[in-house]
Amino acid sequence: MDIRITHSQVKKEKYTDESTLGFGRFFTDHMFEVTYTKDKGWHNAEILPYHRLSLDPASSVLHYAQEFFEGMKAYRTDDNQILLFRAKDNCARLNRSAQRICMPEIDIDFNYKAIKTLVDIERDWVPSSEGSSLYLRPTMIANDETLGVKAASNYLYYIICSPSGAYYKDGLSPINIKVEDKYVRAVRGGTGEAKTGGNYAASIKAGDEAVKLGFSQVLWLDGEEMKYVEEVGAMNMMFLIDNKLVTAKLNGSILPGITRDSVLTLARDMGITVEERKIAVEELVDAGKSGRLTEAFGTGTAAVISPVGMLAYKNEQVIINNRKIGELSMNLYNTLTGIQRGRIKDKFGWITVV
Ligand code: PLP
Ligand code: COI
């Protein structure tokens, strides 16, 4: 399928100070859009000026949340090349979300072409300061104009781009996390491993209550026993226990993070023992108290690597590494962002030049 391109006649005013970008607040001049109908399949692929969507109030996505999204980034190198990081892996995960939410898949090569073409058109919007990037948000929504609860016949897929800085306002400063012991995010057989809006809607109340108590995020426990650690709202979690890097095994209710996979690959490459397994929250608390839990951090596209300085579970507080970023966390952050910014050789085939 060809992509029709219509350049915007009006250019938006650009930010002057990259340090004020924040996350997901500004959007570029263009977006990609393609339509699906049962009869025609995917058709009408376009890059066109960024615009508002016009949806019928009965549109299925607005009622039954049949939608999913992705998150990936484009980076500027010191010599002004634009790099994409593992974008094809995002296209593949997008199709796994599509299967789970009963929505049409998109050919990976076509999707990748759409992403690259859009980023090429928006290349001037890719920021250059440390920690900044152009965050890409591919999104698919169901768009039938009827209130019946069933898989829709009409869909819209679009990609928008947002020049962004750090996800957490304090960047690499260790955050405080509350282990959630009342609400759950995902259950066995549910949609936890899909990147669908409903998972995030289900998490907002707990997040809101945690923020009021002075935490940045909640750490979810499994939905059955509320015993095993799963992930944080926008990140997978890693723990350095007895010098082994431990993370929750993918079990169907955790998002298979691309940063998670990258960090595990880098850690193995550094000779660190990695364990993907069930982690009981009590084990974490005990390891924290006995000094065997020496580092903890979250991983995610938006959050990159986010050190955790304190975990609170019920009445217990575990302070990690004196609330300072640990050596391994820093090393992994430097290596990962070094590859993403083209400063460290990419021996894993993760980078594409746009
Ligand atoms: N878990 C959840 C719930 C997320 O929203 C994200 C962010 O995308 C992640 C984990 C990390 O995934 P990735 O590294 O692919 O961005
Ligand atoms: C990402 O890291 O790409 C995400 O989707 C996180 C988002 C929920 C803020």
Side-chain angles (χ1 to χ4, degrees):
M1 198 185 341
D2 288 336
I3 301 173
R4 191 166 61 245
I5 297 174
T6 309
H7 286 277
S8 173
Q9 295 307 311
V10 196
K11 296 277 183 258
K12 289 183 187 169
E13 207 168 300
K14 280 218 183 69
Y15 43 83
T16 45
D17 179 1
E18 287 189 3
S19 68
T20 60
L21 278 175
F23 174 76
R25 293 167 55 224
F26 300 99
F27 298 93
T28 63
D29 290 315
H30 300 88
M31 63 191 281
F32 170 82
E33 216 172 76
V34 62
T35 305
Y36 178 95
T37 56
K38 216 170 193 158
D39 303 343
K40 289 198 198 166
W42 289 112
H43 62 280
N44 258 0
E46 287 192 76
I47 289 174
L48 67 179
Y50 189 95
H51 61 94
R52 293 190 175 206
L53 302 178
S54 169
L55 296 180
D56 192 277
S59 175
S60 22
V61 63
L62 301 177
H63 299 266
Y64 309 123
Q66 201 194 357
E67 76 93 57
F68 62 82
F69 64 95
E70 266 303 326
M72 68 189 89
K73 284 175 170 175
Y75 303 84
R76 186 178 291 282
T77 66
D78 298 326
D79 56 358
N80 278 324
Q81 283 190 310
I82 304 299
L83 306 181
L84 277 169
F85 181 73
R86 301 193 71 173
K88 271 204 181 177
D89 294 310
N90 288 93
C91 297
R93 185 172 68 185
L94 182 149
N95 281 344
R96 296 200 299 275
S97 294
Q99 282 167 15
R100 180 60 184 86
I101 312 298
C102 218
M103 297 171 77
E105 294 181 35
I106 300 185
D107 178 76
I108 291 181
D109 289 326
F110 171 72
N111 200 359
Y112 191 56
K113 178 173 97 173
I115 292 162
K116 272 180 82 171
T117 312
L118 180 63
V119 169
D120 192 21
I121 289 174
E122 301 297 58
R123 60 194 307 123
D124 287 352
W125 280 95
V126 183
S128 60
S129 56
E130 247 4 269
S132 71
S133 58
L134 187 68
Y135 181 77
L136 312 178
R137 176 52 68 88
T139 306
M140 194 190 293
I141 60 172
N143 195 19
D144 277 8
E145 297 171 2
T146 161
L147 298 181
V149 182
K150 60 178 173 47
S153 303
N154 300 279
Y155 295 90
L156 181 68
Y157 173 65
Y158 58 86
I159 308 170
I160 52 177
C161 313
S162 176
S164 293
Y167 181 67
Y168 293 110
K169 66 177 178 6
D170 295 324
L172 265 182
S173 308
I175 56 174
N176 295 338
I177 297 250
K178 174 178 183 277
V179 181
E180 180 54 55
D181 59 4
K182 182 163 75 167
Y183 303 106
V184 294
R185 170 189 178 272
V187 290
R188 180 149 51 105
T191 57
E193 70 180 343
K195 208 159 162 56
T196 184
N199 292 337
Y200 299 81
S203 74
I204 285 174
K205 179 137 177 78
D208 190 58
E209 290 182 9
V211 167
K212 286 189 181 126
L213 294 171
F215 298 94
S216 298
Q217 287 265 349
V218 301
L219 172 56
W220 295 106
L221 298 177
D222 72 281
E224 264 164 88
E225 298 177 75
M226 297 200 81
K227 182 172 171 194
Y228 298 102
V229 166
E230 298 225 314
E231 63 185 323
V232 169
M235 318 188 285
N236 296 111
M237 279 302 300
M238 312 252 165
F239 306 94
L240 191 65
I241 304 175
D242 292 330
N243 289 321
K244 292 182 198 142
L245 190 62
V246 185
T247 193
K249 191 181 160 98
L250 299 177
N251 59 359
S253 62
I254 297 173
L255 191 84
I258 288 164
T259 322
R260 172 188 184 279
D261 182 72
S262 309
V263 163
L264 295 181
T265 304
L266 291 174
R268 287 190 182 105
D269 192 58
M270 290 168 181
I272 290 156
T273 306
V274 166
E275 290 180 356
E276 295 177 67
R277 62 168 171 86
K278 281 185 159 185
I279 311 163
V281 59
E282 297 291 0
E283 176 192 344
L284 271 190
V285 173
D286 288 348
K289 281 191 198 154
S290 60
R292 294 184 302 113
L293 170 64
T294 43
E295 297 189 34
F297 59 91
T299 65
T301 299
V304 195
I305 284 178
S306 178
V308 173
M310 189 265 271
L311 275 176
Y313 176 57
K314 296 187 174 166
N315 294 325
E316 311 255 24
Q317 276 199 2
V318 178
I319 307 289
I320 303 160
N321 198 34
N322 264 330
R323 297 181 189 264
K324 294 204 185 70
I325 181 164
E327 196 184 321
L328 178 65
S329 315
M330 197 71 230
N331 226 331
L332 287 165
Y333 176 86
N334 286 337
T335 311
L336 180 67
T337 56
I339 294 173
Q340 289 167 335
R341 295 294 293 257
R343 292 169 184 156
I344 293 180
K345 192 169 159 2
D346 165 30
K347 60 179 181 184
F348 305 101
W350 289 338
I351 291 295
T352 325
V353 179
V354 176

